[in-house]
Amino acid sequence: MTHTFHRFAPLLLACALALGGCSTAVPEGITAVTAFDATRYAGKWFEIARLDHSFERGLDNVSARYTLQADGSVQVINRGFSREKNAWKEAEGIAKFTGDPHTASLKVSFFGPFYGGYHVVALDPAYRWAMVVGADRSYVWILARDKQLPADIRAQLLAKAQALGIAVDQLVWVDQSRSDS
């Protein structure tokens, strides 16, 4: 038995280091929205723009649905259309507040015990649009209740993102033209 443990010890150590390195904290120099109301935030949001990552690559018509749970967590259902597979792709996860539920700083998991940061850093007073940053500046999403954002709001969010050190020139603008989304 000991021999087997020693054989896997480097892998276990690497996993432990990787998990310890996973951060759900707000990136340095960025502040999550306060006076946050999860009830108002719940519902369907359309992804307007994002920084590209493998888990969303090739998807358009992406949306997220947030549903409050009795235990204070938030069910998350992300959905997007893969043109390559000509099919919808869906992922279900859970989000939990990292502290005060009136601060828009959460951790979200789609893969069991592995969590990533989800921090709302800009939010329309009427909860019509939002900008979300992950645990670092390479995870950014611009979301809206409608499939399009007015040009002035888009410009305002791009200026805010740039001021936060986000690579706005690398944003992917999401096609939201499907009528069955």
Side-chain angles (χ1 to χ4, degrees):
M1 184 74 148
T2 304
H3 181 339
T4 304
F5 175 78
H6 287 299
R7 216 170 102 205
F8 291 104
L11 178 61
L12 294 172
L13 178 61
C15 289
L17 288 173
L19 287 175
C22 292
S23 175
T24 59
V26 182
E28 187 175 331
I30 295 180
T31 304
V33 169
T34 56
F36 181 72
D37 182 347
T39 302
R40 291 182 68 199
Y41 196 79
K44 187 171 184 176
W45 291 84
F46 295 98
E47 189 177 89
I48 304 301
R50 68 173 179 259
L51 288 177
D52 197 28
H53 284 282
S54 60
F55 55 88
E56 282 188 289
R57 192 161 293 137
L59 297 181
D60 57 30
N61 296 280
V62 178
S63 65
R65 181 170 299 280
Y66 304 106
T67 305
L68 299 178
Q69 303 299 296
D71 66 359
S73 66
V74 180
Q75 177 193 44
V76 181
I77 298 178
N78 287 347
R79 185 172 191 248
F81 189 80
S82 169
R83 289 185 192 267
E84 179 183 324
K85 295 182 181 181
N86 195 34
W88 288 98
K89 181 179 174 184
E90 193 170 282
E92 185 174 342
I94 193 80
K96 299 177 180 180
F97 285 93
T98 59
D100 179 356
H102 294 105
T103 299
S105 185
L106 298 96
K107 60 183 185 177
V108 65
S109 176
F110 292 93
F111 311 107
F114 305 101
Y115 283 88
Y118 182 101
H119 313 286
V120 181
V121 298
L123 182 61
D124 175 49
Y127 287 69
R128 301 298 307 160
W129 51 258
M131 183 165 52
V132 177
V133 175
D136 65 42
R137 288 169 170 79
S138 70
Y139 293 94
V140 175
W141 296 269
I142 295 174
L143 308 173
R145 296 294 188 172
D146 300 311
K147 292 183 175 187
Q148 309 241 326
L149 272 179
D152 61 327
I153 300 299
R154 189 171 159 164
Q156 176 186 336
L157 288 169
L158 287 174
K160 167 95 174 170
Q162 192 164 30
L164 294 174
I166 307 298
V168 296
D169 60 322
Q170 295 177 19
L171 284 171
V172 173
W173 296 94
V174 180
D175 175 18
Q176 289 286 356
S177 61
R178 289 188 69 90
S179 61
D180 62 342
S181 60

